[in-house]
Amino acid sequence: MNAAQTNTFAVRLESGTIEVYRNFEKFKAFVTENGCDGIFGGRLLAVRSKESITFYDWDSFDVVRRIDLGQPLKAVHWSEDSAKVVLALEDSFYLLAFDGAAVDQAVAQGVLGQEDTEDGLEDAFTPVDEYSEAVQSGLWVSPDCFTFVTARGSISYLIGGKVLKLSTADKKQHILGYDGKQNRLYLVDKNLNIYTHRLLLAVIAFQAAVLSDETSKAEALLPRIPESYHGKLAKFLELNGQREMAFRITPDPDHKFELAVALNHVDVAREIAAEQESSEKWRKVGDIALQRGLFALAEECFRRSQDFNSLLLFYSSYGDQEGLQRMAGEAAQVGKFNVAFEAYFLLAQPDNCIDVLVKAKRVAEATLLARAYAPSRLAELTALWTASLAEQGLPFQPEDISKS
């Protein structure tokens, strides 16, 4: 059927002849040069041959454009405004932009019937992109959005050059239509069961604006979108480089925290970390605070997350002995003996270093350390070492290293 004139349609006869009717009366009949095994309506009359498609003008029946495809064509889907067309092939589909004004001008000037335009007007169609999806059923629900069902049962839509997934069908389904008032996409399976999926035109328009970098337009559309969609849209915005807007609209505290960290919104990140009392979040806030030179906040975050390695680096970098002393004691209490030992060693406190090694059941190292730094404790530690070996059932006796 002609998309511009609803009273015009075409049929293909068994002989390959194409008959065009207007107001249910035969208007034209013709046979194509390259054969015909299928026809499709729309802004132009599309005639399919083995591995090509030819578009004809509905009035003059001149060739508007002949396109070689390389594989059989399954369907032709025109957008509502006839500015775009999808050519669905066996295992992929093409998106083309159509220049209706250039075609109308060429028809009016009689250019299409000339010999040098055997393949039609080159500027009639402009390739936009190719997509590796096998379209089983498709429908344009707006001038910018093409919905389709793939051979694998994925219900998706194409917008702004990107394919976004709407749902998955467990049975083979075909698109029946779209109700803009209800914002519902309707599908049917072979048993005539009806399925429906919600697809908001406001969401489609918002995503199209984002993909076109029309930020102000996207902002204006937000009030029309229910808050229940904001979480999904926030992730969409993040994936498409709009982190700031995603940060403002996301209702998910975890997602807002990650965005706050990425955007260096330290105050917001700290508030969320405090609300959730998450060690991991405190550690991340500490890292960005340190990068920004917010040392008091960084210290608070590392202490609340018990990130003793960061605290060791933090305190030792500018010689905070009081901080090192406090951190070493806290680390030893929770079993972070390596950090505690290094802190005490930096503070030149061999007795505390020895105590940490003993607590960590590394008595041999404690004894050797005592020989070098605390000889007065050597006898005590040699006895502990002997008892430790006996406790483990080992037939060894430590030598008297005090005389060596």
Side-chain angles (χ1 to χ4, degrees), residues 50-64:
K50 187 176 182 181
E51 290 186 349
S52 68
I53 182 171
T54 306
F55 291 94
Y56 293 87
D57 179 70
W58 280 97
D59 294 316
S60 66
F61 300 100
D62 290 325
V63 175
V64 174

Side-chain angles (χ1 to χ4, degrees), residues 269-278 282 304:
R270 182 193 179 284
E271 290 176 7
I272 297 173
E275 289 174 2
Q276 298 186 357
E277 283 298 333
S278 167
W282 277 120
R304 297 184 71 162

Side-chain angles (χ1 to χ4, degrees), residues 146-381:
F146 176 67
T147 60
F148 60 95
V149 182
T150 69
R152 297 190 297 271
S154 175
I155 304 171
S156 306
Y157 59 99
L158 172 67
I159 188 168
K162 289 195 174 184
V163 174
L164 304 176
K165 189 173 182 179
L166 180 63
S167 184
T168 302
D170 57 354
K171 297 180 181 179
K172 188 175 181 179
Q173 298 178 9
H174 293 271
I175 298 176
L176 282 177
Y178 179 76
D179 185 348
K181 293 182 179 179
Q182 300 293 329
N183 291 303
R184 292 281 179 179
L185 181 69
Y186 292 91
L187 302 96
V188 64
D189 64 16
K190 65 178 182 179
N191 296 320
L192 303 183
N193 296 311
I194 305 296
Y195 303 86
T196 178
H197 298 276
R198 197 176 187 196
L199 184 61
L200 271 69
L201 288 176
V203 171
I204 293 172
F206 177 87
Q207 292 175 324
V210 171
L211 293 171
S212 302
D213 290 327
E214 299 177 274
T215 308
S216 58
K217 182 179 178 181
E219 294 275 10
L221 288 165
L222 264 178
R224 295 167 49 190
I225 301 174
E227 291 187 4
S228 58
Y229 283 82
H230 285 192
K232 180 180 178 181
L233 289 180
K235 293 179 180 179
F236 169 81
L237 286 166
E238 183 184 11
L239 289 173
N240 289 280
Q242 296 290 341
R243 287 180 173 177
E244 194 65 54
M245 193 187 304
F247 170 74
R248 293 200 307 271
I249 73 170
T250 181
D252 181 6
D254 291 332
H255 191 206
K256 184 177 283 290
F257 176 83
E258 295 299 330
L259 289 168
V261 170
L263 295 167
N264 282 325
H265 294 329
V266 182
D267 293 339
V268 177
R270 182 193 179 284
E271 290 176 7
I272 297 173
E275 289 174 2
Q276 298 186 357
E277 283 298 333
S278 167
S279 296
E280 181 182 355
K281 286 183 171 59
W282 277 120
R283 191 175 298 114
K284 290 183 178 180
V285 176
D287 289 338
I288 61 173
L290 196 60
Q291 290 174 4
R292 294 185 58 181
L294 304 174
F295 298 123
L297 177 59
E299 180 182 4
E300 176 195 0
C301 293
F302 293 145
R303 289 191 64 186
R304 297 184 71 162
S305 65
Q306 292 191 326
D307 186 352
F308 297 111
N309 287 307
S310 295
L311 284 171
L312 176 64
L313 176 64
F314 184 79
Y315 290 135
S316 61
S317 296
Y318 60 93
D320 186 347
Q321 295 188 20
E322 183 180 344
L324 279 172
Q325 189 74 44
R326 181 179 59 249
M327 183 274 296
E330 294 172 354
Q333 287 180 358
V334 297
K336 301 294 182 179
F337 300 120
N338 287 342
V339 177
F341 177 88
E342 189 168 350
Y344 284 133
F345 194 83
L346 290 172
L347 291 168
Q349 298 177 0
D351 284 325
N352 285 334
C353 290
I354 291 169
D355 291 340
V356 167
L357 289 173
V358 171
K359 192 173 182 180
K361 297 183 178 180
R362 297 169 65 175
V363 185
E365 290 96 325
T367 306
L368 293 173
L369 184 69
R371 179 179 179 276
Y373 294 99
S376 61
R377 299 188 60 182
L378 196 54
E380 166 201 347
L381 291 166

Side-chain angles (χ1 to χ4, degrees), residues 3-245:
Q5 301 176 3
T6 56
N7 62 343
T8 304
F9 63 93
V11 295
R12 180 177 67 91
L13 305 181
E14 291 184 1
S15 61
T17 300
I18 300 172
E19 293 184 348
V20 179
Y21 291 80
R22 186 165 292 173
N23 293 324
F24 296 99
E25 294 183 1
K26 186 186 293 187
F27 174 70
K28 177 81 172 182
F30 66 100
V31 178
T32 63
E33 297 179 357
N34 299 322
C36 171
D37 60 14
I39 59 175
F40 305 92
R43 172 65 171 79
L44 301 173
L45 173 61
V47 178
R48 180 182 65 193
S49 57
K50 187 176 182 181
E51 290 186 349
S52 68
I53 182 171
T54 306
F55 291 94
Y56 293 87
D57 179 70
W58 280 97
D59 294 316
S60 66
F61 300 100
D62 290 325
V63 175
V64 174
R65 188 64 180 156
R66 181 176 291 112
I67 302 174
D68 294 325
L69 299 174
Q71 56 179 301
L73 177 74
K74 293 172 59 180
V76 177
H77 303 279
W78 288 87
S79 62
E80 294 177 355
D81 59 0
S82 298
K84 303 182 186 74
V85 62
V86 166
L87 304 181
L89 309 180
E90 288 291 335
D91 54 10
S92 64
F93 71 89
Y94 291 102
L95 175 64
L96 309 178
F98 176 66
D99 190 344
V103 172
D104 291 341
Q105 183 179 3
V107 171
Q109 295 175 352
V111 173
L112 295 179
Q114 299 176 7
E115 291 185 3
D116 58 347
T117 58
E118 181 180 352
D119 288 332
L121 185 66
E122 186 174 351
D123 295 335
F125 292 96
T126 303
V128 177
D129 211 340
E130 179 182 4
Y131 301 89
S132 57
E133 300 280 357
V135 176
Q136 296 294 314
S137 176
L139 175 72
W140 287 87
V141 300
S142 77
D144 298 314
C145 181
F146 176 67
T147 60
F148 60 95
V149 182
T150 69
R152 297 190 297 271
S154 175
I155 304 171
S156 306
Y157 59 99
L158 172 67
I159 188 168
K162 289 195 174 184
V163 174
L164 304 176
K165 189 173 182 179
L166 180 63
S167 184
T168 302
D170 57 354
K171 297 180 181 179
K172 188 175 181 179
Q173 298 178 9
H174 293 271
I175 298 176
L176 282 177
Y178 179 76
D179 185 348
K181 293 182 179 179
Q182 300 293 329
N183 291 303
R184 292 281 179 179
L185 181 69
Y186 292 91
L187 302 96
V188 64
D189 64 16
K190 65 178 182 179
N191 296 320
L192 303 183
N193 296 311
I194 305 296
Y195 303 86
T196 178
H197 298 276
R198 197 176 187 196
L199 184 61
L200 271 69
L201 288 176
V203 171
I204 293 172
F206 177 87
Q207 292 175 324
V210 171
L211 293 171
S212 302
D213 290 327
E214 299 177 274
T215 308
S216 58
K217 182 179 178 181
E219 294 275 10
L221 288 165
L222 264 178
R224 295 167 49 190
I225 301 174
E227 291 187 4
S228 58
Y229 283 82
H230 285 192
K232 180 180 178 181
L233 289 180
K235 293 179 180 179
F236 169 81
L237 286 166
E238 183 184 11
L239 289 173
N240 289 280
Q242 296 290 341
R243 287 180 173 177
E244 194 65 54
M245 193 187 304

